């Protein structure tokens, strides 16, 4: 069959992935050149403006809404050169996609013991996904994270602990949220998972002190140390180079931000309601409990504590998917770019998932996931462009429904991972390699 | 105190000197169709000590109020500014902030957006200047839409009119008919200047102007605008009378360069918003016919100056793309200053708003002139407004001003009628004169936008609902994690 020969050849799949991005890139150049409606993402103009500030010896934070590490602006420094170089960043992000896809393919081959064809098929969820290709070729940096996070996963599975620590520190510096992976990786780095060296010891010594001692294995300490040093070193360097604005825009902003503008988050309407000053308060003087301030609790408990604790020893990549899914679903801000964060883990989870094993569940989930967004987008369009006040009940209901759909899918993922045998092929493979 | 009253007759042919009559210390006139400028120059010594002290805190202070009701202009009163209350100032001390807000609240009304709770210098925004321009003038800008001087008149009556004096109250009451009203103070001068401008009442002015006691001089001019060969000069002829000194109006004629010129064509513009406005309203400037939009002089460039309250903002980064600009018939965003944050809701913006200066495209000499109107559009964005007991909040957006900025050969500084500090001159530097495109006569010079807001009459369930769903979801997932769900396949296999 043509399709199986296609997926039988890495060259064909990767060529197609490159071609897909090349077409999108050229199409984007044409649309930008001939239409006042730009293909290029607004964020890309933010990055390239910031790079220009850097090139002039100024701070990238001189550009409004630049909320990233200065490293990003440095990475795309060539965009400040004349002519075609402006697209350098998009090409870089697109190459990042491909490299991330190649690493996914390698992970699927080595650690999930898949045949080449099967591995290529599942890697194509990322490689040939038009959404992924669009996001990177429009110049959004979310895809770049795919490289770091996938490399992190690969380094952990390959037992390259120092490298994993470095990548973790780097990824957290880049985008904060990957810190949730620290918990699952640390928990997964169990003695018997990795080497079985001190397995017997820890089994016999049951005292609390010894338990703690055995928990603090060399790998865990190395990971913690490497990631912490990388993270702090980058921060210190950036702080000395760019001062307070670096901390303010790349970290504190994300901690204190209340995104009032409508987005997919279930908290959105509540945040708008409770952060808005009370006008005519006498009419609706209902004291608020301001429980939204505790929104980080369920989010972090699930994504950084409970899910890693229960699942990571069973299947690390799928646990990371569940963590990311929980983090995004319970976040106070949620836009469609965030979906990319969990999409990069789908190739590891889907092969044995209920979503694929039971097509009715899978298709229903997909349809509901899409319908939730369609309903929300329709309400959002009414608000933004028709000026209808759809905040309540329209947008609120839509975001709550979408949240419920997400939680449902997350429940399926959790159940699937929970039911896995702890000694999954990846760990056997990891053991073998070690 | 000195007073200068200047009438500029609208139709020179309709005016004859017989309409004026000088008696002792008064001048009587009947049915003179004219615009009127009434200027008071008050020496600082004549002011109450408290007020003098307040003024001394400022280096310069220019308060300009412009009515939203359309009015006609006759040269030299050709200048235009966006309707509302403008304050341009700089101060000696760094506490401008609190002075500004207390001054505005006590004189113009408490409803003006000016929060003393905000950190110093955050309500006002820096005024933009061309590099070569003199910076001796005001450095900061404040604006708020204010439809009338009702509050101001009431507050001032309260403050300065003795209980017994009915005339004091009545005199101030006439201010309510003003089309614009300026208060100008500079620490380099020893006086404060108040200027009120009035359009002609129906039937013209029939008045008896008396020299009140306490007024040192009162000069009344009745002038007509005369054509003259030099395009950079404006010329007047008419009569000047010093009340109490002159027994008959004295004929006069003079010509002078000026800063603000009228346009010789009948060009005018209207402002509107494309509907529906949504959260991204597009302001549209419409010139009735494209063929009237030819530059009066080769050096002239067409501009619009926008004064936007904080709920409305411009994303300056949108205007760097030439295709985007030309699709909106804009040439460039020349300047922008003030609250330009792209994300913040209105209630966290301490500044009054922002001002922007655009250069507008006009039909070129080479390209064919399109038939019909010439529409220019400026895409804007709305901030979130506080949730309230309604589904929409109605907010005003006063019309921007439109003018040609042209090179000036002569320095127009000598003109005693020029109005300065209007917020946009500084951006051009010296050697520029302004030819104003008047707004179309008709409706008020203000547009209203209905901004969708969260309606709190319906949101009683939002808090309970959201928290309830999140907690239920969290607990459900915990149950799946710890208790429920299928039994581990692996475990079962292991046991077997």
């Amino acid at each position: 069959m043509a399709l199986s020969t296609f997926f039988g050849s890495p060259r064909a799949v990767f060529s197609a992935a490159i071609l897909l991005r090349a077409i999108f890139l050229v199409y984007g150049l044409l649309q930008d050149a001939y239409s006042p409606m730009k293909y290029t993402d607004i964020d890309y103009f933010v990055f390239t403006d910031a790079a220009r500030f850097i090139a002039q010896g100024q701070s990238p934070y001189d550009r409004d809404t630049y909320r990233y590490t200065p490293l990003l602006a440095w990475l795309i420094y060539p965009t400040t050169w004349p002519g075609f170089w402006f697209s350098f960043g998009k090409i870089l992000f697109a190459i990042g996609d491909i490299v991330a896809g190649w690493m996914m393919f390698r992970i699927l081959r080595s650690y999930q013991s898949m045949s080449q064809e099967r591995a290529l098929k599942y890697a194509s969820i990322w490689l040939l996904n038009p959404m992924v290709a669009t996001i990177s070729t429009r110049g959004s940096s979310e895809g770049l994270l795919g490289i770091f996070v996938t490399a992190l996963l690969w380094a952990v599975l390959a037992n390259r602990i120092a490298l994993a620590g470095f990548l973790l520190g780097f990824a957290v510096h880049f985008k904060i949220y990957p810190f949730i992976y620290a918990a699952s990786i640390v928990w997964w780095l169990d003695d018997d998972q990795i080497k079985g060296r001190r397995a017997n010891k820890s089994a016999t010594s049951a005292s609390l002190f010894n338990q703690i001692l055995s928990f603090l294995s060399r790998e865990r300490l190395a990971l913690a140390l490497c990631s912490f040093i990388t993270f702090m070193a980058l921060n210190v360097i950036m702080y000395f180079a760019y001062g307070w604005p670096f901390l303010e825009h790349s970290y504190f902003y994300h901690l204190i931000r209340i995104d009032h503008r409508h987005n997919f988050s279930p908290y959105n309407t509540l945040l708008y309601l409770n952060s808005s000053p009370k006008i005519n308060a006498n009419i609706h003087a209902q004291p608020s409990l301001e429980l939204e301030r505790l929104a980080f609790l369920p989010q972090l408990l699930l994504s950084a504590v409970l899910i890693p604790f229960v699942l990571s020893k069973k299947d690390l990549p799928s646990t990371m998917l569940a963590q990311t899914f929980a983090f995004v679903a319970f976040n106070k801000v949620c836009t469609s770019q965030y979906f990319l964060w969990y999409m990069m883990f789908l190739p590891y989870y889907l092969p044995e998932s209920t979503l694929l094993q039971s097509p009715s569940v899978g298709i229903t989930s997909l349809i509901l996931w899409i319908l939730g967004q369609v309903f929300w987008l329709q309400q959002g369009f009414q608000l933004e462009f028709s000026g209808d006040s759809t905040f309540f009940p329209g947008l609120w209901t839509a975001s709550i429904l979408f949240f419920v759909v997400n939680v449902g899918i997350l429940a399926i993922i959790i159940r699937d991972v929970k039911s896995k045998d702890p000694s999954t092929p990846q760990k056997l493979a990891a053991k073998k390699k070690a | 105190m000195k007073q200068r009253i200047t009438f500029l007759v609208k139709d020179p042919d309709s005016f004859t000197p017989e309409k004026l009559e000088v008696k002792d210390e008064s001048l009587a006139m009947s049915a003179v169709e004219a615009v009127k400028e009434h200027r008071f120059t008050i020496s600082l010594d004549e002011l109450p000590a408290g007020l003098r002290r307040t003024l001394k805190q400022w280096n310069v202070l220019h308060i300009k109020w412009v009515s939203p009701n359309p009015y006609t202009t006759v040269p030299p009163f050709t200048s235009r500014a966006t309707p509302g209350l403008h304050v341009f100032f700089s101060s000696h001390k760094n506490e401008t902030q609190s002075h500004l807000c207390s001054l505005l609240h006590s004189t113009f009304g408490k409803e003006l957006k000016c929060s003393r709770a905000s950190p110093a210098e955050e309500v006002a925004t820096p005024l933009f200047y061309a590099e070569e321009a003199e910076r001796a003038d005001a450095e900061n800008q404040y604006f708020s839409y204010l439809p009338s001087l009702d509050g101001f008149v009431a507050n001032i009556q309260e403050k300065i009119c003795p209980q017994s004096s009915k005339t004091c109250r009545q005199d101030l009451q006439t201010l309510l008919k003003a089309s614009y009203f300026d208060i100008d103070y500079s620490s380099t001068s020893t006086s404060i200047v108040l200027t009120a401008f009035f359009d002609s009442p129906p039937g013209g002015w029939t008045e008896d102007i008396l020299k009140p006691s306490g007024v040192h001089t009162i000069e009344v001019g009745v002038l007509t605008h005369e054509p003259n060969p030099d395009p950079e000069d404006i010329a007047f002829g008419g009569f000047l009378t010093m009340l109490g000194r002159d027994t008959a109006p004295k004929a006069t004629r003079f010509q002078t360069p000026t800063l603000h010129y009228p346009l010789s064509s009948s060009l005018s513009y209207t402002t509107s918003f494309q509907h529906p406005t949504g959260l991204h309203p597009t302001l549209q400037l419409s010139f009735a016919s494209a063929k009237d939009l030819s530059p009066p002089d080769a050096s002239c460039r067409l501009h619009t100056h926008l004064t936007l309250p904080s709920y409305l903002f411009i994303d300056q980064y949108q205007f760097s793309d030439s295709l985007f600009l030309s699709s909106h018939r804009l040439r460039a965003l020349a300047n922008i200053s003030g609250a330009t944050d792209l994300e913040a809701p209105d209630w966290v913006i301490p500044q009054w708003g922002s001002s922007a200066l655009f250069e507008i495209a006009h039909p070129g000499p080479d390209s064919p002139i399109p038939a019909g109107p010439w529409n220019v559009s400026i895409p804007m964005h709305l901030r979130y407004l506080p949730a309230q007991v309604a589904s929409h909040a109605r907010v005003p957006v006063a019309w921007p001003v439109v003018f040609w900025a042209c090179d000036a050969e002569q320095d127009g500084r000598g003109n005693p009628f020029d109005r300065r500090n209007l917020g946009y001159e500084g951006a051009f530097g010296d050697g520029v004169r302004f030819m104003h495109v008047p707004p179309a006569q008709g409706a008020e010079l203000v547009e209203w936008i209905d901004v969708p807001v969260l309606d709190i009459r319906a949101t009683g369930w939002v808090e309970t609902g959201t928290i309830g769903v999140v907690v239920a979801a969290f607990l459900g997932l915990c149950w799946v994690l710890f208790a429920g769900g299928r039994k581990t396949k692996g475990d079962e296999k292991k046991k077997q």
Side-chain angles (χ1 to χ4, degrees), chain B residues 379-399:
Chain B
M380 302 180 180
H381 309 277
L382 282 165
R383 297 187 191 284
Y384 268 31
L385 291 174
Q388 52 182 271
V389 190
S391 65
H392 290 81
R394 203 166 165 73
V395 295
V397 185
W399 285 25

Side-chain angles (χ1 to χ4, degrees), chain B residues 46-68:
Chain B
E46 297 172 77
L47 293 176
L51 187 54
R52 197 159 57 223
R53 224 177 303 118
T54 312
L55 277 179
K56 289 256 158 105
Q57 292 167 337
W58 305 82
N59 201 1
V60 277
L61 177 64
H62 303 287
I63 298 177
K64 314 262 162 181
W65 175 81
V66 181
S67 165

Side-chain angles (χ1 to χ4, degrees), chain B residues 295-309:
Chain B
D297 174 294
S299 71
C300 297
R301 287 161 302 142
L302 190 60
H303 286 83
T304 181
H305 181 250
L306 298 131
T307 314
L308 301 173

Side-chain angles (χ1 to χ4, degrees), chain A residues 67 260 262 272 384 387 389, chain B residues 279-280 343 384-385 392 453:
Chain A
R67 320 258 191 226
H260 306 83
H262 44 287
Y272 176 17
E384 289 222 18
S389 177
Chain B
L279 287 177
H280 308 280
E343 291 154 334
Y384 268 31
L385 291 174
H392 290 81
V453 294

Side-chain angles (χ1 to χ4, degrees), chain A residues 32-36 38 49 62-65 67 253 260-262 266-267 269-270 272-277 279-280 283-284 286-292 298 301-302 306-307 309-311 314 330 354 383-389 391-392 396 400 403-404 407 410-411 414-416 418-422, chain B residues 276-280 313 315-317 321 323-324 327 340-345 347-348 381-392 450-467 469-470 473-474 477-491 493-494:
Chain A
D32 283 3
Y34 296 106
S35 164
K38 300 298 168 199
D49 283 352
D62 289 349
R63 173 58 161 89
D64 292 340
T65 68
R67 320 258 191 226
Y253 165 78
H260 306 83
R261 294 200 91 93
H262 44 287
Y267 295 108
T269 314
L270 181 59
Y272 176 17
L273 179 66
N274 283 354
S275 66
S276 131
I279 294 181
N280 312 93
I283 296 179
H284 229 271
Q286 202 175 37
S288 162
L289 297 171
E290 301 200 356
L291 282 173
E292 75 277 3
L301 268 178
L302 277 173
L306 302 178
I307 291 177
F309 180 75
V310 177
L311 301 182
K314 310 223 173 193
F330 282 81
T354 311
L383 170 68
E384 289 222 18
F385 298 101
S386 308
D388 300 339
S389 177
F391 291 108
F392 189 89
W396 181 77
I400 292 288
F403 173 73
V404 170
V407 168
L410 180 58
I414 291 175
R415 263 164 50 139
D416 279 352
K418 208 179 143 194
S419 68
K420 281 192 177 180
D421 192 311
Chain B
T277 44
L279 287 177
H280 308 280
F313 69 97
D315 176 0
Q316 54 184 311
Y317 300 103
D321 177 56
L323 280 171
F324 182 84
S327 72
T340 54
D341 188 297
L342 306 177
E343 291 154 334
W347 59 88
V348 303
H381 309 277
L382 282 165
R383 297 187 191 284
Y384 268 31
L385 291 174
Q388 52 182 271
V389 190
S391 65
H392 290 81
D450 285 318
V451 186
V453 294
L454 180 60
D455 187 341
I456 55 174
R457 285 172 301 188
T459 52
W461 278 98
V462 165
E463 180 147 37
T464 345
T466 310
I467 302 296
V469 168
V470 170
F474 176 74
L477 288 171
C478 286
W479 183 78
V480 175
L481 270 170
F482 293 105
R486 286 175 288 176
K487 272 279 147 247
T488 319
K489 276 186 235 153
D491 286 354
K493 274 181 213 152
K494 258 187 207 162

Side-chain angles (χ1 to χ4, degrees), chain A residues 93-154:
Chain A
F93 299 155
I95 293 174
D97 270 3
I98 304 280
V99 175
W102 181 80
M103 287 192 287
M104 286 174 193
F105 168 61
R106 295 309 311 165
I107 292 171
L108 290 171
R109 289 282 283 142
S110 312
Y111 301 100
Q112 299 204 347
S113 309
M114 277 191 192
S115 71
Q116 179 163 291
E117 188 190 331
R118 203 166 139 82
L120 280 172
K121 264 186 195 162
Y122 284 105
S124 296
I125 293 174
W126 177 266
L127 280 168
L128 301 181
N129 189 328
M131 182 179 167
V132 178
T134 313
I135 287 179
S136 62
T137 52
R138 288 187 67 207
S140 164
S141 70
E142 305 294 333
L144 205 54
L145 215 67
I147 271 207
F148 306 138
V149 171
T150 311
L152 167 68
L153 175 61
W154 170 79

